[in-house]
Amino acid sequence: KYVDPMSFIDYMLATELSMNIDGYRLSTHLYKHSDQRARNEGIDPRWKTTLWDFNIAWGNANYYDGDRTDRWQYMLNINFTGDNCPVPFYWYRLLQDPAYVDALRQRWQQYREGNHSDERLMHTVDSLTTLLQAHGATDRNERAWAVYTRSYIWPIPYYATSYGDAVDHLKSWIERRLRFLDKH
């Protein structure tokens, strides 16, 4: 009764799909409208989440298994004890609620049949790749940062040799992550 379940479900699915290291424990933005405003405007007064801060996601972290595709991100407290910024208790509590878990599964299925199908996700990566290359952004980025010739960039676990290599690695990572999420 205190949270908008679909907001939390969408957040959880995005965080898990991207394996966002900071997603639950550091960069979870919660908000709610005041009860008075909600009554006056006829809006939902329950807590909601918003997506942000995905720079250390999509296999782009060399710590806390951020590059793995076969783990649940919400289980960070179990897999890595002693972190001073643990995953908050309410994510575990939500997963104890059978109605929440059922809605989570249904929403994932809905996503997989639509915008999160293999074909749509790969098309999105390909179209963004084309856009960035067509307008010279990838070349400018490489001139500014020399990403493909540097020996260390925190916290990158995979050092691509070219932009194409980086895109191929990302697509492969996404495919493996989808297989894990579909199975579990």
Side-chain angles (χ1 to χ4, degrees), residues 91-133:
W91 292 107
Y92 298 100
R93 177 63 187 100
L94 287 167
L95 290 168
Q96 293 172 352
D97 181 340
Y100 180 86
V101 172
D102 186 53
L104 182 73
R105 284 189 181 115
Q106 288 179 33
R107 187 67 160 179
W108 179 248
Q109 187 62 39
Q110 179 185 12
Y111 279 172
R112 291 295 282 143
E113 293 169 1
N115 287 334
H116 289 69
S117 69
D118 292 5
E119 297 78 20
R120 292 289 296 266
L121 287 170
M122 293 305 126
H123 174 74
T124 298
V125 172
D126 289 341
S127 65
L128 291 171
T129 297
T130 299
L131 179 69
L132 291 170
Q133 287 179 318

Side-chain angles (χ1 to χ4, degrees), residues 40-56:
N40 291 344
E41 297 179 23
I43 55 179
D44 189 345
R46 297 177 297 175
W47 288 96
K48 295 175 179 41
T49 60
T50 59
L51 296 175
W52 70 292
D53 194 16
F54 282 77
N55 63 321
I56 305 178

Side-chain angles (χ1 to χ4, degrees), residues 44 63-64 68 70 74 79 81 85 89 106 111 169 183:
D44 189 345
Y63 63 100
Y64 290 154
R68 291 184 58 173
D70 61 345
Y74 79 88
N79 295 327
T81 59
C85 297
F89 75 93
Q106 288 179 33
Y111 279 172
H169 178 75
K183 184 176 179 181

